[in-house]
Amino acid sequence: MTAVIAGLYVCSDSTSFVSERRPTVTVVPNGFEGDKHATWTRAADSRAKSYPRGTTIWNSRQLSIVSEEELAEIAAALSLPDITPEQLGANICTRGLPALTHLASGTQLLVGDVGLYVTALNKPCINPGKVIEAQHPDIPNLANRFVKAAHDRRGVVAVVERPGTIREGAAITLVAPASPLQPGVARDPA
Amino acid sequence: MTAVIAGLYVCSDSTSFVSERRPTVTVVPNGFEGDKHATWTRAADSRAKSYPRGTTIWNSRQLSIVSEEELAEIAAALSLPDITPEQLGANICTRGLPALTHLASGTQLLVGDVGLYVTALNKPCINPGKVIEAQHPDIPNLANRFVKAAHDRRGVVAVVERPGTIREGAAITLVAPASPLQPGVARDPA
């Protein structure tokens, strides 16, 4: 199955968590043009446990990527008809990468001329849960249940390695990070 | 065994490959202050196989890190008395991380207030081999043999996650990247 870009999204409103769909996006050196996460640095938050909250650190979360397949799994776990990339504030939704969240850090996603570098899996936070809960006021405790259901299904975050343009429907090529020989593997004599 | 900073090095001469030892370094948001690799972008070279040579890409090689233990292994494989971090153009030499090159992409190295993020293992190139060969003109074919001996012992490259100051002798704390549950592991109901 070929992996493709199922949807592209930009969050241009700095006061909102939700992103908006676009048929095409311009990728600048630190994110999607016009997206509030397109910065070189950010303030450490609860996800950056190695640093005091508020410390200025490298922004390794320029882009948030989710997969259609994992969103369907989250929705099924919550008995909801769907969970959308917009609700999660995602920038890219993929189709054909059912275990997107399991990609190792250092994996490259090549889309046309654009290169993205996966920095980490994305840990679920309560914010999209609140968005989803507000849209389904009849279902109790949805925000907290979202966090649990989204664990290991929340996709990955990435940085831009090579800027360019991405269009919906474009094919995605994965490049795994280089791995060393395992310890104990015989070497050729030098 | 505690991992520590055995040596710090800066390459301030843009025409030279070799780095020079410093007792302390100032870490700026994109590398070591005064080092020629401290940039946000770089031109794709033979190590960036996903991109045409010369393309401007994200500089995921702000810092080069080697370990004393692996340098000793390379030297032993080449029957040399030593291989130095300076010869390899390294920025940091560690002590107490004998399998430094095996650290996964996404591993954090915390040194005092400073945070570094490992982006990749470092593939051996011919340049340090040429430096070493020039210093041992009596030993044949050392440049090419270095590349082979250094495979999977060449350390890692990293970017700055949090700037600050690093002193020789400082302790290093490793933080492994977050991993997902393995597929098939039972989940709590959401």
Side-chain angles (χ1 to χ4, degrees):
Chain A
M1 186 176 184
T2 305
V4 298
I5 300 287
L8 296 161
Y9 309 85
V10 170
C11 187
S12 55
D13 177 356
S14 65
T15 66
S16 168
F17 182 82
V18 174
S19 55
E20 291 177 5
R21 192 160 188 172
R22 300 273 191 273
T24 177
V25 291
T26 299
V27 184
V28 293
N30 59 7
F32 280 2
E33 190 174 63
D35 187 86
K36 69 176 181 179
H37 303 96
T39 60
W40 287 112
T41 61
R42 69 184 186 99
D45 58 14
S46 61
R47 283 156 155 160
K49 294 192 191 307
S50 297
Y51 308 106
R53 191 180 281 254
T55 307
T56 298
I57 59 171
W58 172 51
N59 180 18
S60 59
R61 304 175 55 86
Q62 295 170 3
L63 297 169
S64 155
I65 309 175
V66 296
S67 78
E68 273 191 354
E69 295 84 354
E70 290 175 324
L71 295 192
E73 287 178 20
I74 301 172
L78 296 172
S79 304
L80 292 176
D82 59 24
I83 297 279
T84 68
E86 290 95 330
Q87 288 171 326
L88 274 56
N91 297 108
I92 295 176
C93 182
T94 64
R95 181 180 306 138
L97 297 174
L100 175 74
T101 304
H102 292 252
L103 290 182
S105 297
T107 302
Q108 291 175 321
L109 276 66
L110 307 178
V111 188
D113 286 348
V114 170
L116 308 176
Y117 176 102
V118 172
T119 51
L121 68 81
N122 201 358
K123 294 178 193 164
C125 76
I126 194 86
N127 290 330
K130 289 177 181 170
V131 171
I132 296 162
E133 184 169 281
Q135 292 173 355
H136 298 276
D138 51 316
I139 305 179
N141 199 26
L142 205 43
N144 286 314
R145 286 172 59 223
F146 165 80
V147 173
K148 202 170 218 178
H151 199 70
D152 291 348
R153 294 163 170 162
R154 187 61 182 82
V156 294
V157 287
V159 296
V160 176
E161 193 158 22
R162 187 187 183 194
T165 302
I166 304 182
R167 287 170 209 287
E168 191 177 305
I172 303 168
T173 302
L174 296 187
V175 181
S179 302
L181 298 170
Q182 292 305 305
V185 170
R187 290 168 177 276
D188 293 336
Chain B
M1 185 173 184
T2 304
V4 298
I5 300 288
L8 296 161
Y9 310 85
V10 170
C11 188
S12 56
D13 177 357
S14 65
T15 66
S16 168
F17 182 81
V18 174
S19 54
E20 291 176 6
R21 192 159 188 172
R22 300 271 192 275
T24 178
V25 291
T26 300
V27 184
V28 294
N30 58 8
F32 280 2
E33 189 174 64
D35 187 87
K36 69 176 183 180
H37 303 97
T39 59
W40 286 113
T41 60
R42 69 184 185 98
D45 59 14
S46 62
R47 281 156 157 160
K49 294 193 190 306
S50 297
Y51 308 106
R53 190 181 282 253
T55 308
T56 298
I57 59 172
W58 172 51
N59 180 18
S60 59
R61 303 175 56 86
Q62 295 170 4
L63 297 170
S64 155
I65 309 174
V66 296
S67 79
E68 274 191 354
E69 296 84 356
E70 289 174 324
L71 295 192
E73 288 178 19
I74 300 172
L78 297 172
S79 304
L80 293 177
D82 58 24
I83 298 278
T84 67
E86 290 94 330
Q87 289 172 325
L88 275 55
N91 298 109
I92 296 176
C93 182
T94 64
R95 181 180 305 138
L97 297 173
L100 175 74
T101 304
H102 291 252
L103 290 182
S105 298
T107 302
Q108 291 175 321
L109 276 67
L110 306 179
V111 188
D113 285 349
V114 170
L116 309 176
Y117 176 103
V118 171
T119 50
L121 66 82
N122 201 359
K123 294 178 193 162
C125 75
I126 194 85
N127 290 330
K130 290 178 182 169
V131 171
I132 296 163
E133 185 169 278
Q135 293 173 356
H136 299 276
D138 51 316
I139 305 179
N141 199 27
L142 205 44
N144 286 313
R145 287 172 59 223
F146 166 80
V147 174
K148 203 169 219 179
H151 199 71
D152 292 349
R153 294 164 170 162
R154 187 64 183 79
V156 294
V157 288
V159 296
V160 176
E161 192 156 24
R162 187 188 183 193
T165 302
I166 303 182
R167 288 170 208 286
E168 190 176 305
I172 304 168
T173 302
L174 297 186
V175 181
S179 302
L181 298 170
Q182 292 305 305
V185 170
R187 290 167 178 276
D188 293 337

